[in-house]
Amino acid sequence: MWYFHIAVAFFQTLLLSKQALLKFSTGQVIDLLSNDVQRLEDEAVKLIFSGAFTSLELVTITVVLLYLIGWQAVMSVLFLCCLVPYFVALSTASAKLRLRTAAESDRRISLMNQVVSGIRAIKTHAWEDAYREKIKSARR
């Protein structure tokens, strides 16, 4: 399944113009692709296991629990259904935090890419201390 995600990413990069491709470094592209592929795999697993069969499974389990336990089982199923909005809010907050984390890691990768590509200029002009402070502040 992972090869499908790589094929989609490759097709997307073919659609970009040369100017758009020059704006991104190799490290940024690899970081973005690895994050996106991981998220797609997670979502695909969620979709497969909680897709179309969720309502059928819920009804079947409720009937079996009603037969085995009684009316208390129906109450527990209703309680679990009431928790769905909580889990939706929790996953939305998690997605927002993941986006902030990805933006921060992209900023750090960009800074390190600048340092590595311009190491000769940094050494020539004795800017090591200034860049050391920038890297320390980016790591916080």
Side-chain angles (χ1 to χ4, degrees), residues 109-127:
I109 288 171
S110 174
L111 177 65
M112 292 307 295
N113 189 25
Q114 289 173 5
V115 169
V116 169
S117 65
I119 195 73
R120 181 175 290 162
I122 291 171
K123 289 287 188 181
T124 304
H125 297 294
W127 293 335

Side-chain angles (χ1 to χ4, degrees), residues 60-76:
T60 305
I61 288 176
T62 305
V63 169
V64 169
L65 287 175
L66 182 63
Y67 176 74
L68 293 175
I69 298 174
W71 65 272
Q72 295 91 351
V74 176
M75 298 309 285
S76 65

